[in-house]
Amino acid sequence: MATTGVMRPGHIQLRVLDLDESVAFYKDVLGLVETGRDAAGRVYFKAWDERDHNSVILRQADRAGVDLIGFKVKDKATLEQLDKDLQAYGVATERIPAGELLETGERVRFTIPTGHVMELYAEKTDVGNGQPYTNPDPWIAASEHGIAPHRFDHCLLYGPNLEENLKLFTEVLGFHLVERVLLEDGKSLLATFISCSHKAHDLAFVAHPEPGKLHHLSFLLDSWEKVLRAADIMSMNRVSIDIGPTRHGITRGSTIYAFDPSGNRFETFCGGYETYPDHAPITWTFDEVGAGIFYHDRKLNERFLTVVT
Amino acid sequence: MATTGVMRPGHIQLRVLDLDESVAFYKDVLGLVETGRDAAGRVYFKAWDERDHNSVILRQADRAGVDLIGFKVKDKATLEQLDKDLQAYGVATERIPAGELLETGERVRFTIPTGHVMELYAEKTDVGNGQPYTNPDPWIAASEHGIAPHRFDHCLLYGPNLEENLKLFTEVLGFHLVERVLLEDGKSLLATFISCSHKAHDLAFVAHPEPGKLHHLSFLLDSWEKVLRAADIMSMNRVSIDIGPTRHGITRGSTIYAFDPSGNRFETFCGGYETYPDHAPITWTFDEVGAGIFYHDRKLNERFLTVVT
Amino acid sequence: MATTGVMRPGHIQLRVLDLDESVAFYKDVLGLVETGRDAAGRVYFKAWDERDHNSVILRQADRAGVDLIGFKVKDKATLEQLDKDLQAYGVATERIPAGELLETGERVRFTIPTGHVMELYAEKTDVGNGQPYTNPDPWIAASEHGIAPHRFDHCLLYGPNLEENLKLFTEVLGFHLVERVLLEDGKSLLATFISCSHKAHDLAFVAHPEPGKLHHLSFLLDSWEKVLRAADIMSMNRVSIDIGPTRHGITRGSTIYAFDPSGNRFETFCGGYETYPDHAPITWTFDEVGAGIFYHDRKLNERFLTVVT
Amino acid sequence: MATTGVMRPGHIQLRVLDLDESVAFYKDVLGLVETGRDAAGRVYFKAWDERDHNSVILRQADRAGVDLIGFKVKDKATLEQLDKDLQAYGVATERIPAGELLETGERVRFTIPTGHVMELYAEKTDVGNGQPYTNPDPWIAASEHGIAPHRFDHCLLYGPNLEENLKLFTEVLGFHLVERVLLEDGKSLLATFISCSHKAHDLAFVAHPEPGKLHHLSFLLDSWEKVLRAADIMSMNRVSIDIGPTRHGITRGSTIYAFDPSGNRFETFCGGYETYPDHAPITWTFDEVGAGIFYHDRKLNERFLTVVT
Ligand SMILES: [Ca+2]
Ligand SMILES: [Ca+2]
Ligand SMILES: [Ca+2]
Ligand SMILES: [Ca+2]
Ligand SMILES: [Fe+3]
Ligand SMILES: [Fe+3]
Ligand SMILES: [Fe+3]
Ligand SMILES: [Fe+3]
């Protein structure tokens, strides 16, 4: 089968400091669609063009950051097989019962070498993208409410053990390495960009001493003009922009980094090439990491390596 | 594993009426890169951003049309397995030795129910996309020579037996159905759009009494502004435009159809959503097929259903 | 003074067949802002980014078409001077009292050689563009309600006597000829595109036996992507598209022609170069008029020369 | 007449530190067309879409900066009248004979209150924009050589006496005030943006103790996508980018500031609204100047107020 195993990042649970303020931000500024609230007080969102019930889940907490990231796998048989594969590889897994997240099936949870909690799941209710499955239009009013990305697309995570982490994702979970950044020694990994699909990245990691940190979660727009529109909306709403509009050398995407009200960095981006597992990975040397991250400025800003949640 | 089996359309062999004129057209107007010529007189091209040695192969002939379409599979083991699967399913296959196409490994050839010759192969030499694999730029001068698409993307083929054909692609070759158009009876297939990836289509078929016909081969651009630039270049070079710039309702892509000097229709397009195998297919009813094909005009032009090569 | 005399097309009064349906169309599909209704039953609109009270006025009538087009002049002294100049040139003028059109000063009305009623006026109330004059944002919510053009931009009018008409506009009213299309004889005018500003055209005329006809009124968008969005909105609302998205050779603008519910053709366009009175005019020969009008198709559609209101 | 008096910024003479390096930069990176060299060693350029012989003139010198800026006026009678008007206003003028600048008529030179040398002239040879005046295409190959702006568009100049300067430009030279920035006192001018046309600005000034300084000269692109392309080309050529791509609040334009090899700041921008002399000026208060200059970041970078040549 052409697409099997892990399909895509499906949900992310974020910690926010003030739930009301955050809900307003994710709904009216970022332009996600609220799809539910659960007994634990969590608020569920999806991007307008996503079909599954939820992709971003907000949880009020004392500090910002990411609780967990879930990947949708092809089907329940795949879920069982991947659980076995993880255990066989030496990764401890845990089952979270169906329904613990709204409209979401049973999840297999585990911690990756960078210290982040990952989940696999096979089922999340299809609530549609606001369009019928018969004779749909290409877009709807919701696609112009706030920034209104098409989907939650990927994350960049900070933590230790990048080599070990890459091995887990490529040898067990079916990802392939698309791009990587090397440290001064020309060998060790500063960053990896990996894909379980044809996207230039479904996940990315940067080496960092503290485990389990979030650099950014990212949302897909469909044009560079929509990136400008996103920046304008950020300014109108006094959203703190980290950098952008600009381009990444890595993946070629054009992008903005900004911060949600709790200080979680998010990205709204478009573009980037498509990758296949037969493509040789691209390597960035340490002296060119600036151009790799921010192609126009060709240097990192101080925040890139230090500000995470 | 996340990407397995059939990966993507990799090459298409086209028949052209005048080789010199066609080479000039594909090189300087469409803006492909010539990569070789073989003893049989065939001329090989790749799009600037493709890494494999060739994707479009021109063969001089008395009538225009398509000889064959090749799909790259993940690896040689996959090729062997798919050959077995095809035979087990009752499809006769033939082996074409490595090197029969320049820089291309052994191919498994078979005829699909619509009468088109398909091939699977696992190896084609990586000649790069004109960029180093270390610290590349996002684009190069070649990306502005002629229309200069990123890649050969998909084909729309005309022939009979769409139901049977869909079964072969979904049950044996790992494709999934993304969109379909129904005939007046609300049941029979007028058209299918199928994917072996996250692209909205890697292949499409329209029901047609005569087997083995080509409606168009398609090339990917990266923005609607590049679609305008393509139309301008077509006009400057007196290329016959069939329709466009416009949008497809099906796949949402924005597009131009035009004709090469031999009358083979080609498309330069951008956009379109991304699909996953868990997405329910979209259905277009017969009364809305106009909007499905040409979203702005909401009606087919006469040529759409009749002019093929 | 650098900008003097006639400044810009300021208002157009259109005849529509069903006022309610037309108001709904101009408000929610085209996305103009309704600014008033008068005792005569006329409904007034402005584009969101215009500052003057009105630019499009709808009047219910038995047949579609244009009643009159008004140009704003620099000030009242200019109005008086131009009235004298017109009379001295032999053009009969009439005064329409202030307030006959809502929030509009006294008008000088006259008929041009093509049979259209023109007006000059110096005053129309500034109601703002929905933004403060202090610290404005670059755009507002109204700029995404419907097609939402920035402004009423120009008209293309059909009528006789193009040579005489051109003389009036250039010798008395301070316009300059930007582009022209010649008939088969290589001398007579098929079309003229004239400007009183740096716009590639503030008015255009095509030779036609019947006087006083409207080919289209045109609205400015700010990008080719907004042209696509306009076409999508037209399709969603079943607006009849005449042609486009495409490009004009003349003025270089990218464009859509479509019809309002009464059959009045309107254009939503962007781009086009800027012109100055020292620029030599561009000439299109009769054999290339197709490319001049519709640059991609390089031929006129039948409707271009025949369907007017 | 609708367009009279001063028409547009026509030429700027820049001082550069190394002529060869600068010529290479202006030709191949910025993408201007070299049109001549004179006996004094100056090198002349025009943007591809300009019709007059030259717009940017480079002169080798020990320090970077601007020698003079020339404005084209409507005709020789206008030149004589404006000379008289300047003298009557108390401005000393000087005549520079025709031919002192290649293909340029007699110039009237004077110094404005900010200490910059300005010139008026009525004649510069039309060398065309690389297109015939009959049946032209919308663009040509030169429009993709380097950044390839359409035209030299405006300058931002730093110097003292902004109130007095504004009076000269509006009362004698026919400009109108489009936008202004006020100092903390809510009265004094920090910056003025003035136009002799419908452009949002043909010149801009920022209050600065040292007279005659250049903040940037600016070149027009025709889309936000071309702004991205310009930033990419800057990165490929290691051009030092000051800021951008971003948007200005003032004029709404989207923009990049960067430095030529001598440290002269230049801008490549697109967009911005069109203005007319009846439009009330827009005011930016001191506390919002950040958003006025850099709309996304909403704060000035240190270089904006300090780095000039
Ligand atoms: Ca609260
Ligand atoms: Ca030949
Ligand atoms: Ca009615
Ligand atoms: Ca030198
Ligand atoms: Fe990212
Ligand atoms: Fe297609
Ligand atoms: Fe028009
Ligand atoms: Fe500027």
Side-chain angles (χ1 to χ4, degrees):
Chain A
M1 298 301 177
T3 300
T4 56
V6 178
M7 292 196 297
R8 63 177 175 271
H11 62 240
I12 182 167
Q13 184 170 304
L14 286 179
R15 294 186 301 270
V16 296
L17 304 181
D18 183 304
L19 193 64
D20 298 341
E21 183 189 21
S22 296
V23 166
F25 173 82
Y26 280 88
K27 196 151 53 173
D28 295 325
V29 179
L30 187 52
L32 303 184
V33 179
E34 186 183 331
T35 54
R37 302 196 179 207
D38 68 17
R42 294 178 297 190
V43 185
Y44 293 67
F45 297 91
K46 63 183 278 294
W48 73 270
D49 204 17
E50 290 172 326
R51 305 183 184 194
D52 284 353
H53 178 272
N54 58 75
S55 58
V56 174
I57 301 132
L58 302 185
R59 180 173 75 83
Q60 176 138 350
D62 289 338
R63 60 191 178 89
V66 55
D67 282 337
L68 56 88
I69 297 166
F71 280 78
K72 195 172 191 186
V73 304
K74 185 136 189 230
D75 50 29
K76 291 178 86 163
T78 302
L79 187 67
E80 297 304 323
Q81 183 62 49
L82 286 169
D83 192 0
K84 274 186 208 131
D85 294 347
L86 284 164
Q87 292 181 39
Y89 192 78
V91 176
T93 66
E94 180 190 2
R95 295 284 177 132
I96 312 296
E100 196 279 335
L101 278 182
L102 291 185
E103 305 292 336
T104 304
E106 190 181 26
R107 289 128 70 202
V108 170
R109 181 180 288 178
F110 55 102
T111 300
I112 60 175
T114 55
H116 299 87
V117 176
M118 292 278 146
E119 299 179 339
L120 306 177
Y121 66 95
E123 296 173 318
K124 201 180 284 274
T125 306
D126 175 3
V127 296
N129 63 358
Q131 289 275 61
Y133 280 111
T134 302
N135 307 331
D137 289 312
W139 50 273
I140 55 175
S143 70
E144 294 186 332
H145 179 75
I147 294 173
H150 283 262
R151 68 173 180 230
F152 163 53
D153 188 87
H154 68 268
C155 292
L156 172 54
L157 304 174
Y158 273 42
N161 307 316
L162 256 62
E163 276 80 2
E164 187 186 340
N165 194 62
L166 179 62
K167 221 163 113 68
L168 172 67
F169 275 94
T170 53
E171 297 187 3
V172 183
L173 295 169
F175 285 64
H176 63 278
L177 177 66
V178 180
E179 304 207 24
R180 61 183 182 156
V181 184
L182 299 181
L183 283 168
E184 294 94 326
D185 65 9
K187 280 186 283 189
S188 317
L189 291 170
L190 170 59
T192 54
F193 299 79
I194 62 176
S195 177
C196 61
S197 68
H198 302 159
K199 291 158 57 182
H201 52 342
D202 282 299
L203 264 184
F205 296 94
V206 166
H208 192 71
E210 202 181 352
K213 307 306 281 182
L214 173 68
H215 184 273
H216 70 263
L217 72 161
S218 186
F219 296 93
L220 181 69
L221 302 174
D222 68 0
S223 71
W224 172 237
E225 188 160 317
K226 289 283 177 72
V227 173
L228 175 60
R229 181 181 176 277
D232 290 343
I233 291 174
M234 290 176 192
S235 177
M236 289 170 191
N237 289 281
R238 306 299 184 270
V239 174
S240 171
I241 292 180
D242 182 8
I243 193 165
T246 190
R247 186 197 281 282
H248 294 305
I250 295 166
T251 77
R252 299 183 188 165
S254 53
T255 182
I256 308 166
Y257 287 160
F259 295 100
D260 84 357
S262 306
N264 293 305
R265 192 188 279 98
F266 69 99
E267 177 181 41
T268 56
F269 84 107
C270 85
Y273 60 85
E274 276 160 293
T275 183
Y276 287 88
D278 63 323
H279 284 173
I282 288 172
T283 299
W284 293 82
T285 55
F286 190 75
D287 57 310
E288 290 289 327
V289 63
I293 302 298
F294 301 129
Y295 183 67
H296 298 151
D297 293 342
R298 303 191 78 89
K299 59 176 181 288
L300 298 185
N301 63 13
E302 190 189 310
R303 292 182 296 275
F304 184 80
L305 288 172
T306 57
V307 177
V308 291
T309 54
Chain B
M1 297 310 164
T3 300
T4 56
V6 178
M7 293 196 298
R8 64 176 175 270
H11 61 242
I12 182 167
Q13 185 170 306
L14 286 179
R15 293 187 302 270
V16 295
L17 303 181
D18 183 305
L19 193 64
D20 298 341
E21 182 188 22
S22 296
V23 166
F25 173 83
Y26 280 88
K27 197 151 53 174
D28 295 326
V29 179
L30 187 52
L32 303 184
V33 179
E34 185 183 331
T35 54
R37 301 196 178 207
D38 68 17
R42 295 178 295 191
V43 185
Y44 293 67
F45 296 91
K46 64 184 278 294
W48 73 271
D49 204 17
E50 291 173 325
R51 304 183 185 193
D52 284 353
H53 178 272
N54 58 75
S55 58
V56 174
I57 301 132
L58 302 185
R59 180 174 75 84
Q60 176 138 351
D62 289 339
R63 60 191 179 88
V66 55
D67 282 336
L68 56 88
I69 297 166
F71 280 79
K72 196 173 191 185
V73 303
K74 183 132 190 234
D75 50 29
K76 292 178 86 163
T78 302
L79 186 67
E80 296 304 324
Q81 183 63 49
L82 286 168
D83 191 1
K84 274 186 206 128
D85 294 347
L86 283 164
Q87 292 182 38
Y89 192 77
V91 176
T93 66
E94 180 191 1
R95 294 286 177 130
I96 312 297
E100 196 278 335
L101 278 182
L102 290 185
E103 305 291 337
T104 304
E106 191 181 24
R107 290 126 69 201
V108 171
R109 182 180 288 178
F110 55 102
T111 300
I112 60 175
T114 54
H116 299 86
V117 176
M118 292 278 148
E119 299 178 340
L120 306 177
Y121 66 94
E123 296 173 318
K124 201 179 285 273
T125 306
D126 175 3
V127 297
N129 64 358
Q131 288 275 60
Y133 280 111
T134 302
N135 308 330
D137 288 312
W139 51 273
I140 55 175
S143 70
E144 294 185 333
H145 179 74
I147 294 173
H150 283 262
R151 68 174 181 228
F152 163 54
D153 188 86
H154 68 269
C155 292
L156 172 54
L157 304 173
Y158 273 42
N161 307 317
L162 256 61
E163 276 80 3
E164 185 186 342
N165 194 62
L166 179 61
K167 222 163 112 66
L168 172 66
F169 275 95
T170 53
E171 298 187 4
V172 184
L173 295 168
F175 285 64
H176 63 279
L177 177 66
V178 180
E179 304 207 23
R180 60 181 184 160
V181 184
L182 298 182
L183 283 168
E184 295 94 328
D185 65 9
K187 279 186 284 187
S188 316
L189 292 170
L190 169 58
T192 54
F193 298 78
I194 62 176
S195 177
C196 61
S197 69
H198 303 159
K199 290 158 57 182
H201 52 344
D202 282 300
L203 265 184
F205 296 94
V206 165
H208 191 70
E210 202 180 352
K213 306 306 282 182
L214 173 68
H215 183 274
H216 69 263
L217 73 161
S218 186
F219 296 93
L220 180 69
L221 302 174
D222 67 1
S223 71
W224 172 236
E225 188 160 317
K226 289 283 177 73
V227 173
L228 175 60
R229 180 180 176 277
D232 290 342
I233 291 174
M234 290 176 192
S235 177
M236 290 171 192
N237 289 282
R238 305 299 184 272
V239 174
S240 172
I241 292 180
D242 182 9
I243 193 166
T246 190
R247 187 197 280 282
H248 294 307
I250 295 165
T251 77
R252 300 184 189 166
S254 54
T255 182
I256 308 165
Y257 286 161
F259 295 100
D260 84 357
S262 307
N264 293 305
R265 192 189 279 98
F266 69 98
E267 178 180 41
T268 55
F269 85 106
C270 84
Y273 60 86
E274 275 160 294
T275 184
Y276 287 87
D278 63 323
H279 285 172
I282 288 171
T283 299
W284 294 81
T285 55
F286 190 75
D287 58 309
E288 290 289 329
V289 63
I293 302 298
F294 301 129
Y295 183 67
H296 298 151
D297 293 342
R298 302 191 78 89
K299 59 176 182 287
L300 298 185
N301 64 14
E302 190 188 308
R303 292 181 298 274
F304 184 81
L305 287 173
T306 57
V307 177
V308 290
T309 54
Chain C
M1 298 303 172
T3 299
T4 56
V6 178
M7 291 196 298
R8 63 175 174 272
H11 61 240
I12 182 167
Q13 184 170 305
L14 286 179
R15 295 187 300 272
V16 297
L17 303 182
D18 183 304
L19 194 64
D20 299 340
E21 182 189 21
S22 296
V23 166
F25 173 82
Y26 280 87
K27 197 151 53 173
D28 295 326
V29 179
L30 187 52
L32 303 184
V33 179
E34 186 183 331
T35 54
R37 302 195 178 207
D38 68 17
R42 293 178 297 188
V43 185
Y44 293 66
F45 296 91
K46 63 182 279 296
W48 73 270
D49 203 17
E50 291 173 324
R51 304 183 185 194
D52 284 352
H53 178 271
N54 58 74
S55 58
V56 174
I57 300 132
L58 302 185
R59 180 174 74 84
Q60 177 137 349
D62 289 338
R63 59 188 179 89
V66 57
D67 282 336
L68 57 88
I69 297 166
F71 279 79
K72 195 172 191 185
V73 304
K74 184 134 191 234
D75 49 30
K76 291 178 86 163
T78 302
L79 187 66
E80 296 305 324
Q81 184 61 51
L82 286 169
D83 192 359
K84 275 184 208 132
D85 294 347
L86 283 164
Q87 293 181 39
Y89 192 78
V91 176
T93 65
E94 180 190 2
R95 294 285 177 134
I96 313 297
E100 196 278 335
L101 277 183
L102 291 185
E103 305 291 337
T104 304
E106 192 182 24
R107 288 128 69 201
V108 171
R109 182 180 287 180
F110 55 104
T111 300
I112 59 174
T114 54
H116 299 86
V117 176
M118 292 278 145
E119 299 179 339
L120 305 178
Y121 67 95
E123 296 173 317
K124 201 179 283 275
T125 307
D126 176 3
V127 297
N129 64 357
Q131 288 276 61
Y133 280 111
T134 302
N135 307 329
D137 288 313
W139 51 273
I140 55 175
S143 70
E144 294 187 330
H145 179 76
I147 293 172
H150 283 262
R151 67 172 181 230
F152 163 53
D153 188 86
H154 68 268
C155 291
L156 173 54
L157 303 174
Y158 274 41
N161 308 317
L162 256 59
E163 276 80 3
E164 187 186 340
N165 193 63
L166 179 61
K167 223 164 111 68
L168 172 65
F169 275 95
T170 54
E171 298 187 3
V172 183
L173 296 169
F175 285 64
H176 63 278
L177 177 66
V178 181
E179 305 207 23
R180 60 180 184 159
V181 184
L182 299 181
L183 283 169
E184 294 94 327
D185 65 9
K187 279 186 282 188
S188 318
L189 291 170
L190 170 58
T192 54
F193 298 79
I194 62 176
S195 177
C196 61
S197 67
H198 302 160
K199 290 158 59 181
H201 53 342
D202 282 300
L203 265 184
F205 296 94
V206 166
H208 191 69
E210 202 181 352
K213 306 306 282 182
L214 173 67
H215 185 273
H216 69 264
L217 73 161
S218 185
F219 297 93
L220 180 68
L221 302 175
D222 68 359
S223 71
W224 172 237
E225 188 159 317
K226 289 283 176 71
V227 173
L228 175 60
R229 181 181 174 277
D232 290 342
I233 290 173
M234 290 175 191
S235 177
M236 289 170 192
N237 290 281
R238 305 300 184 268
V239 174
S240 172
I241 293 180
D242 182 10
I243 192 165
T246 188
R247 186 198 281 280
H248 294 307
I250 296 166
T251 77
R252 299 184 190 166
S254 53
T255 184
I256 309 167
Y257 287 161
F259 296 100
D260 84 355
S262 305
N264 293 305
R265 191 188 278 99
F266 69 99
E267 177 181 40
T268 56
F269 84 106
C270 84
Y273 59 86
E274 274 159 293
T275 183
Y276 288 88
D278 63 324
H279 284 173
I282 288 171
T283 299
W284 293 82
T285 55
F286 190 75
D287 57 309
E288 289 289 328
V289 62
I293 303 298
F294 301 128
Y295 183 67
H296 298 151
D297 292 344
R298 303 190 78 88
K299 59 176 180 290
L300 298 184
N301 63 14
E302 191 189 308
R303 292 181 297 274
F304 184 81
L305 287 173
T306 57
V307 177
V308 290
T309 54
Chain D
M1 296 302 176
T3 299
T4 56
V6 178
M7 291 197 297
R8 63 176 176 271
H11 61 239
I12 183 167
Q13 184 170 305
L14 286 179
R15 295 187 301 272
V16 297
L17 303 181
D18 183 305
L19 193 64
D20 298 340
E21 182 189 21
S22 296
V23 167
F25 173 82
Y26 280 88
K27 196 152 53 174
D28 295 324
V29 179
L30 187 53
L32 303 184
V33 178
E34 186 183 330
T35 55
R37 301 197 178 205
D38 68 17
R42 293 178 296 189
V43 185
Y44 293 67
F45 296 91
K46 64 183 278 294
W48 73 270
D49 204 16
E50 291 173 324
R51 304 183 184 194
D52 285 352
H53 178 271
N54 58 74
S55 57
V56 174
I57 301 132
L58 302 186
R59 180 173 75 83
Q60 175 137 351
D62 288 339
R63 60 192 178 88
V66 57
D67 282 336
L68 56 87
I69 297 166
F71 279 78
K72 195 173 192 186
V73 303
K74 185 135 189 232
D75 49 30
K76 290 177 88 163
T78 302
L79 186 66
E80 296 305 325
Q81 184 61 52
L82 287 169
D83 192 359
K84 274 185 209 132
D85 294 347
L86 284 164
Q87 293 180 37
Y89 192 78
V91 176
T93 65
E94 179 190 3
R95 294 284 177 134
I96 312 297
E100 195 277 336
L101 276 183
L102 291 184
E103 305 290 336
T104 304
E106 192 182 23
R107 288 127 70 200
V108 171
R109 181 179 289 178
F110 55 103
T111 300
I112 60 174
T114 54
H116 299 87
V117 177
M118 291 278 146
E119 299 179 339
L120 306 178
Y121 66 95
E123 296 173 317
K124 202 180 283 274
T125 306
D126 176 2
V127 297
N129 64 357
Q131 288 276 62
Y133 280 111
T134 302
N135 307 329
D137 288 312
W139 51 273
I140 56 175
S143 71
E144 294 186 331
H145 179 75
I147 292 172
H150 283 262
R151 68 173 181 230
F152 163 53
D153 188 87
H154 68 268
C155 292
L156 173 54
L157 304 174
Y158 273 42
N161 308 317
L162 255 61
E163 276 79 3
E164 187 186 339
N165 193 63
L166 178 61
K167 221 162 113 68
L168 171 66
F169 275 94
T170 54
E171 298 188 4
V172 184
L173 296 169
F175 285 64
H176 63 278
L177 177 65
V178 181
E179 305 206 24
R180 60 180 183 159
V181 185
L182 299 181
L183 283 168
E184 295 94 328
D185 65 9
K187 280 186 282 189
S188 317
L189 292 170
L190 169 58
T192 55
F193 298 79
I194 62 176
S195 177
C196 60
S197 68
H198 302 160
K199 290 157 60 181
H201 52 343
D202 282 300
L203 265 184
F205 296 94
V206 166
H208 191 70
E210 203 181 351
K213 306 307 280 182
L214 173 68
H215 184 273
H216 70 264
L217 73 161
S218 185
F219 297 93
L220 180 69
L221 302 175
D222 67 359
S223 71
W224 172 236
E225 188 160 317
K226 288 283 177 73
V227 174
L228 175 60
R229 181 180 175 277
D232 290 342
I233 290 174
M234 290 176 192
S235 176
M236 289 171 191
N237 290 281
R238 306 299 185 271
V239 174
S240 172
I241 293 179
D242 182 9
I243 194 166
T246 188
R247 187 198 280 280
H248 293 307
I250 296 166
T251 77
R252 300 183 189 166
S254 53
T255 183
I256 308 167
Y257 286 161
F259 296 100
D260 85 354
S262 305
N264 293 305
R265 192 190 278 97
F266 69 99
E267 178 181 41
T268 56
F269 84 107
C270 84
Y273 59 86
E274 275 160 293
T275 183
Y276 287 88
D278 63 323
H279 284 172
I282 288 171
T283 299
W284 293 82
T285 55
F286 190 75
D287 57 309
E288 289 290 327
V289 62
I293 303 297
F294 301 128
Y295 183 67
H296 298 151
D297 292 343
R298 302 190 79 88
K299 59 175 181 291
L300 299 184
N301 64 14
E302 190 189 307
R303 292 180 298 274
F304 184 81
L305 288 173
T306 57
V307 178
V308 290
T309 54

